[in-house]
Amino acid sequence: MRDEVHLLPKMILEISEAKDFQSAIEVALKNICEITGWNYGDAWIRSSDESVLERIPAAYCSSGSPVKFKELSEKFTFPLGTGMPGRIWLSKKYEWVPDVSLVSKIEFPRAKFARKAGFRACLGVPIIAGDEVLAVLVFLMFESREEEMRFVDFISGAAAELGSVIQRKKAEEQRRAASLYARNLIEASLDPLVTISPEGKIMDVNKATEGITGIPRERLIGTDFSDYFTEPENARRGYHQVFSDGYVRDYPLSIRNISGNIIDVLYNATVYRDENGQILGVFAAARDISQIKQAEEEIRKLNAQLERRITERTRQLEAANKELEAFSYSVSHDLRAPLRSIDGFSQALLEDYGGVLDAQAKDYLTRVRSASQRMSQLIDDMLVLSRVTRREMKRSAVDLSALANMIAAELLKAQPQRRVEFNISPGLVVNGDAELLRAMLENLLGNAWKFTSTRQSATIEFGVKDLDGKPSYFVRDNGVGFDMAYASKLFQAFQRLHLQTDFPGTGIGLATVKRIINRHGGRIWAESEAGKGATFYFNL
Amino acid sequence: MMKRKILLVEDNPDDVVLTLRALNKNNIANEVIVAKDGIEALDYLFGEGTYAGRDPTRVPAVILLDLKLPKIDGLEVLERLRKDERTKFAPVVVLTSSKEEQDLVRSYKLGANSYIRKPVDFIQFSEAVRQLGLYWLVLNEPVP
């Protein structure tokens, strides 16, 4: 104990070489006990939730001292202000007990075990850094001993040294952790990051920068930042702008990498400063946009291709449409002329030679005439059907109720002898092509009119119903109806479900209606029972 | 005074026969000149070609004009005669098979006075001819 003061520097050195806080304390406990002759030493720190003090696992036992006490101590915790460690934590002052076997359990909660282990004198000292207690060290020895200043002085001195070493160590640890954290962040970035000095030299780079340039870190650091771009002048202007404005956003540059490949990037950069606000350099992050650019180029190419294809298709379609137009024009003119001859000369025969023809000959000529007139009607209806398809859609708000009323009035005027009741729901307005929708309603209402002709009193209804959340318009009649078995043929051109002699028609009307509905993106269907009328539903 | 003539521009011989029959049946006694294509029609109207020497100021009472014609079609005949001072007021009735909207609109734009679609039913056709004869040859007062 004579040379203990000389041993202090060696101990401090050993402590400062310890790898962390806990092993530093372990070293301190061992050194202090060995130098000053205490048989046992342990240390108390705050638990992680800061509610109590708990012992750190490492404790010192001199050879021959009972390990049992060390093990039992490990299970102890002290609330602040309780027991020796708790009191010292608050008072920040050392305590000396000449003989723990003589004090109460309140004063020294471990007294019973200490007595069993044979411990007597006890010294507790705080390790203080700044204003904060970092730990409380507790030493015990087998002898009973009055307070001795030289022990107290040495241990307090060691504890003070220990405090500053530990504090430095802790700060260092924190700094290292922070620095490692920052470095990891920087390296984790997929974007190439660079710091640039006010002279434009590269000061630091991350892995991504090595990747994009193909040049290792050591060869990048210290070189001119602008050297790695296709337009060095532009790169210099970029970082000068950062120094003058404090930042740049999405500054476009092209990196030329070691293999000569060009990579388009956008730079975002800010200045960074020291604690006094002095600008140290520029922190620049590049974003590789070569893939985006490539994708854009790809999209542009595909668009151009699509455009070309559309133009080609449009041209083909226009040609086909023109052909169709020419065809129907020709049909309209040329198919009709022979029919006029057939009808006209049959009529001439009837008129001029009626006297020499018998009844059967006249009947034949009448049949020829009605057949040619029927064919004329077929041609007209076919032209209407083809016109419905070719016609350009002109959409607007169309009042179906008003149209239905007009059509009903026309039908009643054409055959005033018929007794037909029309029930038309008012205010049914849709968006569509007025002319096409009129043609559609003319067909549906015309059919209802035609197929109720055998009824004494006919009823025709036009209204709307909500089916599957969609407004479904309907035309309902109490006419002859049709057999649902043939419903699928209803909307095909030239398909008829009734005899010409019963109900005249060309079988094109409903095909036209369906095309009109199709052109409006809607659907049409029908329900009926033979003899009980029919209902035609449509939505648009 | 001689009745003014009717110019029938029609390439289909059947239609010529039927039109003449319809005129005849309706007691329209005006002389009918038949032109089988657009050139012949214009030659007649302007006193040229086979009709060289004809006085073009003698404008027909009515011109019955088919649209689909060889060489020069009906619409072009109409356009040319409307451009000429001598014939610009001549009554022209387009008499055709077509019901195509484009034909109708263009005919009226070029200055047709009427547009009649020849029905297949001869009785209806005859009725149409009767009415147009009554209107253009009897009721209508021509430009002096």
Side-chain angles (χ1 to χ4, degrees):
Chain A
M1 195 60 219
R2 277 176 304 278
D3 293 329
E4 63 264 33
V5 181
H6 308 293
L7 294 169
L8 204 54
K10 183 182 158 276
M11 182 177 101
I12 304 289
L13 185 69
E14 236 181 285
I15 290 168
S16 58
E17 278 170 356
K19 69 178 192 299
D20 56 30
F21 173 70
Q22 294 224 357
S23 46
I25 287 185
E26 195 179 346
V27 169
L29 289 172
K30 179 170 178 283
N31 272 291
I32 290 169
C33 289
E34 282 174 2
I35 293 166
T36 57
W38 294 88
N39 298 100
Y40 175 89
D42 59 13
W44 302 79
I45 56 169
R46 278 222 169 154
S47 62
S48 50
D49 65 357
E50 304 208 336
S51 61
V52 292
L53 300 180
E54 60 187 18
R55 215 198 68 185
I56 65 170
Y60 174 80
C61 289
S62 67
S63 54
S65 61
V67 179
K68 182 100 178 144
F69 180 78
K70 181 184 162 191
E71 283 166 4
L72 287 165
S73 293
E74 205 162 357
K75 295 193 179 79
F76 271 85
T77 56
F78 297 102
L80 292 188
T82 303
M84 185 186 268
R87 283 193 304 274
I88 293 174
W89 196 281
L90 289 185
S91 67
K92 299 177 184 166
K93 292 196 174 78
Y94 77 90
E95 277 188 27
W96 185 290
V97 180
D99 191 339
V100 288
S101 65
L102 304 175
V103 300
S104 72
K105 194 184 164 191
I106 312 264
E107 198 176 329
F108 201 85
R110 288 188 287 173
K112 193 175 106 192
F113 303 112
R115 202 164 39 243
K116 267 192 190 153
F119 289 130
R120 296 291 162 88
C122 177
L123 169 63
V125 286
I127 297 176
I128 298 172
D131 249 358
E132 202 189 340
V133 180
L134 299 178
V136 173
L137 305 184
V138 176
F139 300 96
L140 292 158
M141 65 167 64
F142 295 127
E143 304 164 39
S144 158
R145 212 184 260 251
E146 286 307 312
E147 183 171 330
E148 268 181 68
M149 274 325 283
R150 62 185 188 107
F151 276 125
V152 175
D153 285 347
F154 177 78
I155 294 175
S156 294
E161 283 292 340
L162 192 60
S164 63
V165 167
I166 287 170
Q167 192 180 29
R168 210 164 44 241
K169 250 193 149 43
K170 269 195 149 172
E172 232 169 71
E173 254 168 51
Q174 272 167 8
R175 218 173 15 252
R176 218 175 18 248
S179 161
L180 189 66
Y181 176 73
R183 190 74 223 169
N184 280 340
L185 270 188
I186 288 166
E187 292 300 342
S189 166
L190 296 177
D191 291 340
L193 304 178
V194 187
T195 51
I196 311 161
S197 72
E199 294 76 39
K201 301 281 185 205
I202 293 174
M203 298 194 292
D204 192 10
V205 298
N206 67 349
K207 204 92 192 129
T209 305
E210 292 184 312
I212 203 165
T213 56
I215 300 168
R217 179 185 161 81
E218 348 32 290
R219 277 176 49 207
L220 285 167
I221 290 171
T223 58
D224 265 352
F225 171 73
S226 55
D227 283 352
Y228 301 96
F229 298 92
T230 54
E231 296 172 322
E233 199 41 55
N234 203 6
R236 265 192 288 278
R237 247 199 318 279
Y239 68 72
H240 285 146
Q241 195 181 325
V242 185
F243 282 115
S244 62
D245 298 353
Y247 70 92
V248 294
R249 292 277 172 270
D250 293 335
Y251 192 92
L253 284 172
S254 300
I255 294 173
R256 191 195 305 280
N257 77 4
I258 194 148
S259 338
N261 292 331
I262 310 288
I263 301 127
D264 295 312
V265 292
L266 289 179
Y267 264 101
N268 283 291
T270 55
V271 289
Y272 68 98
R273 301 162 193 270
D274 65 12
E275 285 164 354
N276 306 316
Q278 204 65 38
I279 290 175
L280 294 178
V282 164
F283 182 74
R287 170 133 308 175
D288 183 347
I289 55 161
S290 53
Q291 272 180 337
I292 295 171
K293 277 208 158 178
Q294 213 178 324
E296 275 172 1
E297 178 61 17
E298 195 72 14
I299 288 168
R300 208 191 52 71
K301 266 193 210 155
L302 284 173
N303 271 342
Q305 213 172 12
L306 198 65
E307 201 84 18
R308 259 201 314 281
R309 232 180 270 168
I310 289 170
T311 315
E312 203 176 304
R313 289 278 154 80
T314 310
R315 225 183 359 248
Q316 287 172 354
L317 206 64
E318 272 169 1
N321 247 345
K322 252 205 180 104
E323 221 167 276
L324 197 66
E325 203 130 327
F327 174 74
S328 55
Y329 186 82
S330 168
V331 165
S332 174
H333 275 272
D334 300 341
L335 234 52
R336 190 175 289 284
L339 291 175
R340 266 202 315 277
S341 296
I342 295 167
D343 186 87
F345 292 115
S346 302
Q347 179 62 17
L349 277 175
L350 285 168
E351 284 174 3
D352 297 357
Y353 300 91
V356 296
L357 292 173
D358 63 12
Q360 193 164 38
K362 283 181 193 163
D363 175 52
Y364 290 163
L365 283 172
T366 307
R367 284 175 190 275
V368 169
R369 287 197 63 216
S370 76
S372 57
Q373 282 163 29
R374 182 168 152 68
M375 182 156 171
S376 159
Q377 188 60 50
L378 275 166
I379 292 169
D380 281 353
D381 287 357
M382 270 173 66
L383 286 174
V384 169
L385 182 65
S386 94
R387 217 168 285 142
V388 160
T389 317
R390 281 181 293 145
R391 205 187 126 82
E392 211 176 298
M393 293 267 288
K394 294 184 196 117
R395 279 184 179 273
S396 64
V398 180
D399 186 342
L400 292 180
S401 305
L403 276 180
N405 277 313
M406 269 194 281
I407 295 162
E410 280 164 20
L411 289 166
L412 288 164
K413 198 176 150 200
Q415 285 177 273
Q417 74 282 3
R418 283 198 53 191
R419 284 180 51 207
V420 179
E421 192 194 336
F422 278 96
N423 292 324
I424 294 167
S425 298
L428 305 183
V429 179
V430 297
N431 181 278
D433 184 303
E435 211 168 304
L436 290 180
L437 290 177
R438 187 195 169 89
M440 177 211 53
L441 276 183
E442 270 173 356
N443 268 296
L444 290 180
L445 292 170
N447 276 350
W449 178 270
K450 182 161 71 182
F451 292 110
T452 51
S453 60
T454 54
R455 293 284 183 268
Q456 275 298 319
S457 70
T459 308
I460 296 170
E461 199 182 342
F462 175 58
V464 68
K465 226 178 174 180
D466 196 70
L467 294 176
D468 298 329
K470 259 184 150 180
S472 300
Y473 304 90
F474 64 86
V475 173
R476 178 175 294 142
D477 65 58
N478 62 345
V480 293
F482 59 88
D483 186 341
M484 280 300 276
Y486 306 112
S488 62
K489 290 188 172 182
L490 218 49
F491 299 102
Q492 292 171 18
F494 305 114
Q495 290 288 345
R496 304 200 71 241
L497 302 183
H498 300 279
L499 286 175
Q500 186 66 27
T501 44
D502 293 343
F503 297 99
T506 54
I508 298 177
L510 284 178
T512 305
V513 167
K514 189 174 164 70
R515 278 203 197 172
I516 291 172
I517 299 287
N518 283 352
R519 290 209 63 188
H520 283 81
R523 197 168 80 81
I524 183 160
W525 68 100
E527 284 169 8
S528 178
E529 206 178 311
K532 291 193 176 166
T535 307
F536 283 82
Y537 293 95
F538 65 89
N539 55 39
L540 295 172
Chain B
M1 186 187 138
M2 272 269 293
K3 276 193 175 171
R4 290 165 76 197
K5 290 169 183 169
I6 294 172
L7 175 61
L8 171 63
V9 191
E10 173 64 72
D11 64 322
N12 182 338
D14 281 6
D15 275 348
V16 171
V17 171
L18 291 171
T19 308
L20 291 177
R21 182 180 168 84
L23 287 167
N24 193 30
K25 277 182 71 73
N26 288 297
N27 303 317
I28 296 167
N30 304 52
E31 188 188 341
V32 179
I33 308 296
V34 178
K36 289 187 291 299
D37 59 49
I39 299 270
E40 211 180 316
L42 290 171
D43 279 353
Y44 176 80
L45 287 170
F46 300 142
E48 292 163 2
T50 45
Y51 291 99
R54 197 192 82 84
D55 178 7
T57 59
R58 292 175 57 92
V59 178
V62 64
I63 301 167
L64 304 177
L65 181 64
D66 190 13
L67 289 185
K68 232 184 151 207
L69 294 170
K71 297 178 190 169
I72 293 178
D73 73 18
L75 290 170
E76 199 177 333
V77 170
L78 178 58
E79 192 174 10
R80 290 218 210 158
L81 72 87
R82 280 289 177 257
K83 274 188 190 153
D84 195 292
E85 274 304 312
R86 296 164 295 185
T87 50
K88 71 175 176 188
F89 295 122
V92 174
V93 175
V94 172
L95 200 58
T96 182
S97 303
S98 157
K99 206 168 71 169
E100 293 278 308
E101 201 178 284
Q102 42 172 343
D103 284 340
L104 252 160
V105 172
R106 289 197 60 208
S107 296
Y108 279 121
K109 267 196 181 152
L110 291 172
N113 299 82
S114 281
Y115 188 105
I116 294 171
R117 189 196 185 213
K118 289 182 260 188
V120 165
D121 183 342
F122 181 78
I123 295 169
Q124 281 177 29
F125 178 60
S126 179
E127 172 60 19
V129 168
R130 188 186 70 78
Q131 284 187 24
L132 82 85
L134 176 68
Y135 183 78
W136 290 108
L137 303 172
V138 181
L139 299 175
N140 186 51
E141 290 290 343
V143 179

